[in-house]
């Protein structure tokens, strides 16, 4: 929310109009990387201009490691240590200073339904989840733990599958996760945790998208389960390739709830005649219901 953005600006004395935001992930982990790029989406959504946001190409432990990067005229201690003082908590800036509207980056559920209704001629829907989630063989957790007999167990979406017409690109397919050549993290072995996590070359990334059906001129609509993994592909599509791009931030934890589910008293959460029902072959493919897990407390 705008209030949360203002609180961050206050805590760290950030000037959203003039400061440069450098987004860095410290170690080789797809989730961490997607989380860092999620901040790119957030800042862009709130109107921070692209000239003020940079993303380090790769994990810091690899890219900024002078032991394996001979071009760095610094020591390891220069990078991985700092005298961090308590945040000043005296910022004076607010997000309202930014007059640019970046909300066009976001696609709503209604937008996604319109895209499907339109036949996907001018759009390409991309699902950034795993193949098991895409095909509905893995249940999607929601953000709540109010289900089960005790009312405290993990909730799952009412159904699984993928949005009709969506093609699957796993979110780390656009970065290098298998190019480790040194023990970057000092764990005593060279493995996937030592990969650079740099973006693949442009032509390779273009092939990833084209192999998923993307055609020149289309708008890419990207989603995942929560909107975090999708951020990595959204950044890649919009900022790296320059494609028209929108992210369905509600993602599957919203889409997968829009069914004729009932609460533990048997009351329908979404009437059968609702126009927002998407548990149909029109809007969802590989549809699998979670009838034993979607009952929530009133």
């Amino acid at each position: 929310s705008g209030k949360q953005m203002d609180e961050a600006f206050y805590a760290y004395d950030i000037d959203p109009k003039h400061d440069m935001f450098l987004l860095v992930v410290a170690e080789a982990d797809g989730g961490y990387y997607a989380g860092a790029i999620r901040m790119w989406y957030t800042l862009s959504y709130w109107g921070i201009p692209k000239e003020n946001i940079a993303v380090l190409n790769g994990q810091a432990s690899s890219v900024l490691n002078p032991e394996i990067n001979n071009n760095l005229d610094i020591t390891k201690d220069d990078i991985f240590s700092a005298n961090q003082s308590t945040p000043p908590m005296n910022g004076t800036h607010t997000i309202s200073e930014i007059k640019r509207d970046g909300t066009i980056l976001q696609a709503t559920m209604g937008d996604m339904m319109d895209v499907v209704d339109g036949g996907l001629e001018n759009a390409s829907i991309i699902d950034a989840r795993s193949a098991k989630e895409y095909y509905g063989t893995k249940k999607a957790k929601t953000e709540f733990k109010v289900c089960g007999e005790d009312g405290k167990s993990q909730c799952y979406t009412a159904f699984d599958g993928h949005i009709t017409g969506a093609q699957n690109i796993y979110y780390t397919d656009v970065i290098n996760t298998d190019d480790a050549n040194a023990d970057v993290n000092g764990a005593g072995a060279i493995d996937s945790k030592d990969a650079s996590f740099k973006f693949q070359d442009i032509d390779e990334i273009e092939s990833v998208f084209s192999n998923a059906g993307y055609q020149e001129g289309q708008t890419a609509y990207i989603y995942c389960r929560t909107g975090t993994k999708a951020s990595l592909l959204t950044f890649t599509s919009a900022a790296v390739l320059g494609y028209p791009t929108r992210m369905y931030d509600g993602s599957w934890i919203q889409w997968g709830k829009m069914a004729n589910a009932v609460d533990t008293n048997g009351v329908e959460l979404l009437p059968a005649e609702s126009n927002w029902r998407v548990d149909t072959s029109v809007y969802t493919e590989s549809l699998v219901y979670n009838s034993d897990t979607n009952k929530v407390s009133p």
Side-chain angles (χ1 to χ4, degrees):
S1 68
K3 180 177 182 292
Q4 291 171 315
M5 296 297 290
D6 286 349
E7 288 173 349
F9 295 164
Y10 170 76
Y12 298 101
D13 196 15
I14 293 172
D15 179 351
K17 293 181 69 175
H18 300 103
D19 286 348
M20 182 73 184
F21 296 86
L22 175 60
L23 309 180
V24 178
V25 62
E27 56 186 279
D29 182 284
Y32 291 162
Y33 208 35
I37 303 248
R38 170 77 190 183
M39 181 56 70
W40 166 86
Y41 171 80
T42 302
L43 293 171
S44 299
Y45 173 89
W46 282 103
I48 305 297
K50 63 181 181 180
E51 294 81 8
N52 286 33
I53 314 173
V55 175
L56 183 69
N57 186 15
Q59 59 141 328
S61 297
S62 174
V63 178
L64 300 180
N65 193 329
E67 295 179 3
I68 63 173
N69 188 342
N70 296 326
N71 295 323
L72 292 175
D73 187 22
I74 50 180
T75 68
K76 190 171 183 178
D77 288 340
D78 291 330
I79 298 170
F80 297 104
S81 65
N83 295 321
Q84 178 64 52
S85 61
T86 302
M89 300 299 289
N90 63 355
T92 59
H93 296 280
T94 171
I95 193 65
S96 64
E97 296 172 26
I98 300 295
K99 304 304 181 183
R100 176 179 170 272
D101 182 7
T103 58
I104 189 60
L105 274 173
Q106 185 180 86
T108 66
M109 182 176 174
D111 292 331
M112 299 305 295
M113 296 175 74
D114 288 343
V115 169
V116 175
D117 289 336
L120 304 183
E121 292 182 4
N122 299 311
S124 177
I125 303 178
I126 296 169
D127 186 319
R129 300 176 299 164
S130 68
K132 287 184 178 181
E133 293 171 298
Y134 175 80
Y135 286 111
T137 59
K138 179 181 179 181
K139 295 188 295 187
K141 294 180 180 179
T142 73
E143 65 273 45
F144 302 120
K145 290 186 177 181
V146 294
C147 292
E149 296 294 334
D150 58 0
K152 299 179 181 179
S153 298
Q154 177 66 54
C155 294
Y156 297 87
T157 52
F159 61 95
D160 288 295
H162 58 265
I163 297 175
T164 296
Q167 300 299 311
N168 190 207
I169 299 178
Y170 191 52
Y171 76 113
T172 58
D173 285 353
V174 296
I175 55 179
N176 290 298
T177 59
D178 58 357
D179 62 346
N181 56 24
D183 182 16
V184 173
N185 61 6
I190 300 176
D191 54 28
S192 60
K193 290 294 185 180
D194 299 303
S196 71
F197 273 55
K198 289 183 177 180
F199 282 94
Q200 296 182 22
D201 293 336
I202 294 292
D203 57 347
E204 294 175 313
I205 297 175
E206 288 176 338
S207 294
V208 170
F209 277 77
S210 63
N211 290 340
Y214 179 84
Q215 299 179 23
E216 184 177 357
Q218 290 181 324
T219 297
Y221 288 82
I222 304 173
Y223 73 96
C224 58
R225 183 178 67 89
T226 66
T228 299
K229 292 178 179 178
S231 298
L232 183 54
L233 290 189
T234 299
F235 173 82
T236 305
S237 176
V240 178
L241 298 179
Y243 295 161
T245 307
R246 300 179 72 182
M247 187 170 84
Y248 172 34
D249 203 6
S251 284
W252 196 262
I253 60 171
Q254 180 183 51
W255 190 273
K257 294 173 184 174
M258 308 306 283
N260 190 24
V262 296
D263 65 22
T264 49
N265 288 341
V267 178
E268 293 178 344
L269 301 178
L270 191 64
E273 65 275 12
S274 172
N275 291 330
W276 294 103
R277 288 277 302 276
V278 292
D279 58 328
T280 68
S281 59
V282 173
Y283 292 111
T284 301
E285 296 176 321
S286 301
L287 194 157
V288 179
Y289 282 101
N290 293 330
S291 58
D292 61 332
T293 60
N294 64 5
K295 293 183 179 179
V296 298
S297 66

